[in-house]
Amino acid sequence: MLIYDLDFTTLDNTLKEWNEPAYRARQIWQGLYQHLYDSPERFSNLSKSLREKLAREFTFPPFTVKTCLDSADKSTRKTLFQLPDGNLIEAVLMRYGDPADDHEARNAKTRRTLCISTQAGCAMGCVFCATGQMGFKRNLSSGEIVAQAMYYAQMLKAQNEPVSNIVFMGMGEPFHNYENVMMAIDRLNDPGGFKFGARRMTISTVGLVPQIKRFADEMRQVNLAVSLHAADDEERLTIMPINKKYKIRDVIEACKYYIEKTRRRVTFEWALIEGVNDSPEAAKRLASRLKGLLCHVNVIPLNPTHGYHGGASNGARAQTFKQTLEKEGIPCTIRMRRGVDINAGCGQLAAYTGQEM
Ligand code: SAH
Ligand code: SF4
């Protein structure tokens, strides 16, 4: 059993069954989530026999690193992990700083955002997405999700750097693996453990309506992003098969419900695909859908993938799209494509392993 799959109560009960003293579970929990120990040997505060027992009963990091790539500008690192059953998942570290600052100021202000996977593959089949093109393999357990964050947290800790944000935007659809993702969030959030603030986490969903409502009812502080990419049902259906099940109007209604319940802003994501969804008319259609909603639009030029012929819109098209939205009162940011040189787009590293990159 993977140690990161246990919540505190289960760990505590296990150690009680082993006739360990009451404080033992807390010690191990702090070792895992505060000192970020990644193997039983590192628990120097435990007896040798207990360390050996932990090693026998539990697995620690559940994967081996298959590939690790840094972008040319060193701002993005992407790691491809192999799980014991052979499945491949990936997680990305992105550093955002202000290049105008000197080295020290930049280091202090730099954000370190982790993008982690929630499934191996994805069942949603968005045509432009490398993960969608792979199909669905399986859900990740809560511990397999947590372990990706721990991997990078350990690496950053060695350089005295903290993780600033965690986004569930790697491979997979988080709301298609709802329970495990929420358990992972609770574990990362635990005040006696990793203490990672919910407001610094973001879930991105393809727009599963019942789960958006459930998420709203749970009143979590985690940010919500919804991948829209088209404001017309027919158009959305050509790139996102999920639109057969949930129409844009229903997705927006669910977002409205979320905003009313939580008073939190929703981010809508829009991958700009040349000649498909990047016209000023598309921007106007989007604006009329979002009028009056507490929201923000992130547009990001498409990362081209082998399985889809579409290309990225150029900078001028992106600017016009943004300005059209803003004229209609919808706040919008153009996101840079990160790590394109290392296939850091969603699912691309896992999908293209074994192929030319
Ligand atoms: N399944 C979730 C989260 C993972 S995908 C979702 O779809 O929201 C994270 C984001 O990357 C989504 O907004 C998705 O639409 C976007 N994306 C996928 N493939 C992309 C590509 N080739 N170029 C740009 N964005 C892409
Ligand atoms: Fe799945 Fe998200 Fe990719 Fe769509 S964009 S196939 S939902 S990972």
Side-chain angles (χ1 to χ4, degrees):
M1 169 134 206
L2 174 59
I3 194 139
Y4 299 115
D5 272 324
L6 303 184
D7 58 22
F8 180 76
T9 311
T10 315
L11 178 67
D12 195 32
N13 290 341
T14 307
L15 285 147
K16 281 184 185 137
E17 275 166 32
W18 295 358
N19 292 320
E20 289 291 333
Y23 58 83
R24 200 63 89 204
R26 183 60 57 199
Q27 260 181 333
I28 295 175
W29 199 251
Q30 285 171 350
L32 286 172
Y33 295 112
Q34 289 179 6
H35 307 303
L36 308 182
Y37 297 154
D38 58 357
S39 72
E41 300 89 72
R42 299 202 53 200
F43 288 77
S44 53
N45 53 348
L46 304 181
S47 69
K48 186 159 184 280
S49 66
L50 183 55
R51 277 182 273 157
E52 284 169 356
K53 190 158 185 179
L54 284 176
R56 266 198 316 277
E57 300 290 329
F58 295 112
T59 44
F60 276 67
F63 32 57
T64 50
V65 173
K66 192 153 165 88
T67 317
C68 185
L69 295 173
D70 288 309
S71 61
D73 65 2
K74 298 277 177 241
S75 70
T76 306
R77 166 169 285 199
K78 177 156 183 160
T79 308
L80 179 68
F81 300 109
Q82 180 155 37
L83 295 161
D85 62 4
N87 276 308
L88 299 170
I89 55 165
E90 56 194 38
V92 181
L93 162 66
M94 290 162 284
R95 295 168 199 264
Y96 300 86
D98 184 345
D101 288 335
D102 63 31
H103 177 74
E104 218 157 281
R106 190 162 62 229
N107 207 39
K109 273 200 255 166
T110 300
R111 281 194 289 140
R112 294 158 190 94
T113 298
L114 304 184
C115 175
I116 62 180
S117 296
T118 56
Q119 298 178 314
C122 182
M124 301 298 134
C126 305
V127 298
F128 50 81
C129 169
T131 311
Q133 291 157 17
M134 286 169 67
F136 179 68
K137 310 289 182 195
R138 69 168 171 87
N139 278 331
L140 299 186
S141 71
S142 62
E144 288 169 333
I145 298 169
V146 167
Q148 299 167 62
M150 291 304 113
Y151 171 84
Y152 277 118
Q154 284 149 8
M155 179 190 296
L156 288 171
K157 191 181 165 98
Q159 299 157 17
N160 231 342
E161 297 177 3
V163 179
S164 16
N165 298 85
I166 298 178
V167 300
F168 296 86
M169 290 192 189
M171 298 170 72
E173 167 50 40
F175 280 173
H176 188 217
N177 185 15
Y178 194 94
E179 274 81 15
N180 290 349
V181 169
M182 295 309 148
M183 282 195 281
I185 286 173
D186 289 342
R187 214 152 299 140
L188 293 168
N189 193 215
D190 184 81
F194 193 57
K195 291 192 253 194
F196 199 83
R199 285 163 189 262
R200 293 192 285 142
M201 296 191 246
T202 301
I203 288 189
S204 175
T205 176
V206 72
L208 304 185
V209 168
Q211 286 90 328
I212 293 174
K213 291 185 178 153
R214 177 173 173 189
F215 190 64
D217 288 334
E218 290 173 2
M219 298 290 283
R220 289 169 180 277
Q221 301 291 306
V222 175
N223 302 298
L224 179 67
V226 176
S227 301
L228 214 49
H229 306 313
D232 172 86
D233 279 316
E234 231 170 90
E235 192 176 296
R236 193 167 188 260
L237 190 57
T238 63
I239 51 175
M240 300 174 75
I242 193 65
N243 209 75
K244 211 179 290 172
K245 196 158 177 189
Y246 303 117
K247 299 279 169 286
I248 296 172
R249 205 176 67 187
D250 301 332
V251 174
I252 305 275
E253 275 305 310
C255 291
K256 213 175 261 173
Y257 178 77
Y258 170 86
I259 295 163
E260 277 162 14
K261 276 234 92 132
T262 64
R263 308 264 161 230
R264 297 181 67 79
R265 188 178 76 159
V266 172
T267 298
F268 290 99
E269 289 164 280
W270 194 281
L272 275 181
I273 312 171
E274 191 185 17
V276 173
N277 64 357
D278 65 345
S279 65
E281 294 69 43
K284 280 189 190 137
R285 273 199 299 275
L286 174 60
S288 76
R289 291 269 192 190
L290 302 184
K291 207 124 261 158
L293 274 190
L294 180 62
C295 71
H296 185 99
V297 176
N298 272 344
V299 298
I300 176 162
L302 183 85
N303 238 329
T305 55
H306 291 324
Y308 179 60
H309 55 78
S313 309
N314 64 31
R317 292 283 277 187
Q319 278 300 336
T320 308
F321 192 90
K322 172 181 153 81
Q323 283 158 7
T324 311
L325 276 181
E326 283 174 346
K327 230 180 275 158
E328 305 283 330
I330 310 291
C332 172
T333 310
I334 299 176
R335 299 281 167 198
M336 301 293 288
R337 290 193 287 157
R338 311 269 308 185
V340 177
D341 58 334
I342 54 168
N343 280 325
C346 172
Q348 292 189 38
L349 190 57
Y352 301 154
T353 292
Q355 299 177 34
E356 105 286 3
M357 300 215 296

